Amino acid sequence: FAGVFSDAVSDPALREVLSTRLQDRYRLALQDALGEPENRVLFFIDVVVGTLLHRLGMTGEPMVDADVAALVEMVLPHFADGADPT
């Protein structure tokens, strides 16, 4: 899966497929759930997915439920209070 992301860096058509087929439904659901605009939800997705891929690439292990819960606990408050990530 990481190889697909690497290929997408130089392939706009592949990025479009990843965006529309894999990301859009989650983006829309998160926008509704968090009440945040698209750019902030996309940043949220970047932070969470980037962390998961980093963990997998560095250790070869997926994050366990407790790690995912800790990540959400760390990141979500920054979206709930309207803090600006830029």
Side-chain angles (χ1 to χ4, degrees), residues 1 11-12 15 18 20 22 26 30 32-33 35 43 45 48 56 59 68 70 75-76 78 84:
F1 197 64
D11 187 341
R15 283 195 308 272
L18 291 173
T20 58
L22 295 179
Y26 298 107
L30 284 168
D32 286 342
F43 183 70
I45 291 169
V48 173
L56 188 59
T59 67
V68 174
V75 174
L76 195 56
H78 295 284
D84 187 357

Side-chain angles (χ1 to χ4, degrees), residues 25-39:
R25 71 179 123 176
Y26 298 107
R27 177 185 55 80
L28 293 169
L30 284 168
Q31 278 179 253
D32 286 342
L34 298 175
E36 294 284 350
E38 180 178 355
N39 65 321

Side-chain angles (χ1 to χ4, degrees), residues 5 10 23 26 30 35 39 44 52 54 56-57 65 67 71-72 83:
F5 282 113
S10 60
Q23 181 175 269
Y26 298 107
L30 284 168
N39 65 321
F44 178 80
L52 296 171
H54 182 270
L56 188 59
D65 288 344
D67 294 334
L71 176 61
V72 169

